[in-house]
């Protein structure tokens, strides 16, 4: 298993390109199952999760090729296949995104039930209720969700809100099924995340009829078929936010190219309030300049346009060295605090009280051995390591590879001293605490 060795304390400087958004690309790739012709998808990042989705699509009779210019072309070659197996689904929860497109287009889906994960329980009840409201019959047996829906019925109103707000991939699933359901479907409490907007626009480019895109009420007029199309995936606001945290925490001066600042109002506003200089330039350029220790802040994660849970850990790393006490409250995944113990090992003063962590800023973190445990927690450890004194070893970076495209290369180009070491013996790794 790979690890990163980071010599911290170097202010990051220079320019870096933002990659396409993983969480937009995954449901869009899944929705290519709906198309009667080939889809050309540009800006799809080259990530472990994307490769997993392509393997699932292959199981489902969709051929894909990565073109020389980086675009991915998908083409349905066998529309009879409907099973997404456990071996693949267990490695990535977002595999559930094929459920809606499969049952919408092929009338049947068999998708392994995705389990829990380290960021807390992650049920899919809202996905299933939403599909049932479209006339899909759901059964769960032997670890698989079977969805049957030959002749979906639109024409109804359905509600997708849950205890923690709307569901992002649940909205993607229901929307992807509703576009082919006859009649008009009204989806209430739809997620408004930019990634859902991107999916909806992609569906429209394929011939779907959807009103209210970007808002909580989506009105879908079912169409008979969808055609192939060409689409460019939006920039990754979470990658951009992570790089912004790294720039701020190292006291650096970094320009992010090709970002989408309009989708990042909450995190960028927070950075400004903390005293980080945020300048917006032309064509999505974002210049982030850190300096002295930042001011503390009150961070509360919320559905979009609120502060994203996927940046909570990275901002907590930054607040660990703020000049005062901060509060970080998690309202989407109240248990998403696995990074806390690792940041404490680096010298952070953190106290968890229910879904809130009180962060008492210290002058500096110190490098040590830390363990990556999920995608964003790992990113936070890298950000912390870049700013810490001494050497930080981040184990199990395969978590980061799920969602960040060649992160160490991007950071190295900004002057970071970070190296990937491959192939630590499995026995040695197993001996580390998990
Ligand atoms: N929820 C339910 N029932 C459901 C679905 C969700 O109770 O049927 C709850 C969840 O347990 C959670 C909340 O609703 O408390 C929101 O979950 P949501 O369904 O919106 O999350 P998701 O669609 O599974 C996506 C992203 C996550 C991101 C969340 C929240 C993808 C592939 N994943 O997950 O991204 O944290 O939305 O914004 O889009 C990541 O990239 O690191 C990541 C975890």
């Amino acid at each position: 298993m790979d690890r990163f060795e980071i010599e911290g304390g170097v202010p990051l400087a220079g320019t870096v390109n933002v990659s396409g958004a993983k969480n937009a690309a995954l449901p869009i790739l899944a929705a290519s199952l709906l198309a009667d012709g080939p889809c050309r998808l540009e800006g799809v990042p080259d990530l472990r999760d994307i490769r997993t989705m392509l393997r699932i699509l292959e199981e489902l009779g969709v051929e894909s090729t990565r073109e020389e210019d980086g675009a991915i072309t998908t083409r349905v070659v066998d529309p009879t296949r409907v099973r997404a197996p456990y071996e693949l689904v267990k490695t990535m929860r977002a595999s559930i995104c094929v459920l809606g497109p499969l049952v919408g287009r092929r009338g049947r889906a068999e998708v392994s039930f995705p389990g829990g994960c380290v960021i807390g329980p992650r049920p899919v009840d809202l996905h299933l209720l939403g599909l049932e409201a479209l006339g899909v019959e759901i059964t769960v047996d032997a670890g698989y969700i079977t969805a049957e829906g030959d002749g979906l019925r639109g024409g109804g109103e359905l509600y997708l809100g849950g205890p923690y707000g709307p569901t992002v991939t649940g909205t993607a699933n229901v929307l992807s099924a509703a576009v082919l359901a006859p009649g008009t479907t009204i989806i209430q409490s739809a997620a408004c995340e930019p990634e859902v907007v991107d999916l909806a626009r992609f569906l429209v480019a394929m011939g779907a009829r959807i009103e209210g895109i970007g808002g909580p009420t989506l009105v879908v007029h079912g169409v008979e078929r969808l055609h192939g199309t060409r689409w460019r995936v939006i920039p990754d606001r979470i990658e951009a936010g992570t790089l912004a945290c790294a720039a701020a925490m190292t006291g650096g001066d970094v320009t992010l190219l090709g970002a989408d600042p309009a989708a990042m109002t909450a995190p960028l506003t927070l950075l400004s309030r903390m005293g980080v200089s945020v300048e917006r330039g032309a064509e999505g350029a974002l210049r982030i300049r850190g300096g002295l220790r930042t001011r503390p802040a009150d961070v509360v994660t919320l559905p979009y346009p609120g502060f994203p849970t996927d940046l909570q850990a990275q901002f907590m790393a930054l607040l660990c060295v703020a000049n005062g006490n901060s509060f970080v409250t998690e309202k989407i995944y109240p248990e998403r605090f696995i990074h806390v113990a690792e940041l404490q090992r680096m010298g952070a003063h953190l106290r968890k009280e229910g879904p809130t962590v009180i962060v008492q800023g210290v002058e500096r973190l110190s490098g040590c051995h830390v363990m990556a445990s999920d995608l964003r927690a790992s990113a936070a450890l890298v950000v912390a390591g870049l700013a810490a004194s001494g050497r930080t070893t981040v184990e199990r970076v395969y978590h980061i590879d799920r969602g960040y495209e060649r992160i160490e290369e991007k950071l190295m180009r900004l002057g970071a001293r970070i190296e990937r070491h491959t192939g630590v013996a499995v026995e040695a790794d197993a001996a580390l605490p998990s």
Side-chain angles (χ1 to χ4, degrees), residues 2-298:
D2 294 5
R3 67 177 197 276
F4 284 153
E5 297 287 352
I6 305 169
E7 285 295 337
V10 182
L12 300 187
T15 57
V16 62
N17 288 312
V18 175
S19 296
K22 163 183 87 82
N23 289 348
L26 289 170
I28 285 176
L29 279 167
S32 71
L33 276 160
L34 295 164
D36 281 352
C39 291
R40 180 183 150 87
L41 305 173
E42 295 163 6
V44 178
D46 186 15
L47 300 170
R48 218 159 62 94
D49 276 7
I50 296 294
R51 289 191 285 273
T52 304
M53 180 56 85
L54 294 177
R55 283 174 63 201
I56 292 173
L57 289 178
E58 194 184 336
E59 283 290 321
L60 297 171
V62 180
E63 202 179 72
S64 63
T65 28
R66 185 67 88 171
E67 312 291 345
E68 265 177 30
D69 62 0
I72 288 186
T73 303
T74 63
R75 198 175 277 101
V76 176
V77 289
D78 182 356
T80 63
R81 303 180 65 112
V82 293
R83 192 170 173 87
Y86 174 68
E87 293 66 42
L88 291 171
V89 175
K90 73 174 181 196
T91 65
M92 183 182 74
R93 282 188 47 90
S95 315
I96 192 74
C97 289
V98 298
L99 186 65
L102 267 183
V103 72
R105 181 67 183 85
R106 299 183 183 176
R108 186 178 170 89
E110 296 163 24
V111 179
S112 170
F113 215 104
C117 80
V118 289
I119 68 176
R122 296 183 67 185
V124 291
D125 54 321
L126 300 169
H127 301 228
L128 305 186
L129 289 169
L131 291 173
E132 276 174 343
L134 289 174
V136 174
E137 218 171 277
I138 304 276
T139 44
V140 177
D141 187 36
Y144 277 75
I145 300 164
T146 300
E148 277 176 291
D150 237 349
L152 294 192
R153 53 158 202 271
E157 186 160 320
L158 59 92
Y159 175 71
L160 273 187
Y164 301 101
T167 160
V168 173
T169 49
T171 304
N173 257 331
V174 173
L175 179 61
S176 300
V179 287
L180 289 179
T184 297
T185 305
I186 300 174
I187 304 175
Q188 295 284 14
S189 197
C192 302
E193 269 64 9
E195 294 76 16
V196 175
V197 171
D198 205 33
L199 167 69
R201 290 189 176 144
F202 169 65
L203 292 168
V204 168
M206 290 200 291
R209 290 179 58 213
I210 306 169
E211 291 162 26
I213 294 174
T217 303
L218 295 172
V219 180
V220 186
H221 306 284
V223 295
E224 258 176 45
R225 58 179 47 87
L226 297 174
H227 51 77
T229 192
R230 183 182 175 142
W231 194 250
R232 171 159 283 277
V233 171
I234 54 168
D236 195 320
R237 64 192 169 111
I238 306 302
E239 186 206 31
T242 304
L243 292 167
C245 282
M249 194 164 172
T250 57
D253 181 353
V254 170
T255 300
L256 306 172
L257 300 176
D260 181 5
M264 298 175 66
T265 306
L268 293 180
T269 304
L270 200 69
L271 282 175
S272 297
R273 287 184 192 155
M274 289 164 67
V276 176
S277 161
V278 177
E279 269 173 64
R280 296 165 192 228
E283 292 172 27
L286 258 181
R287 185 172 178 192
I288 309 290
R289 273 178 296 168
L292 301 170
R293 289 171 71 188
T294 67
R295 288 192 280 275
D298 194 354

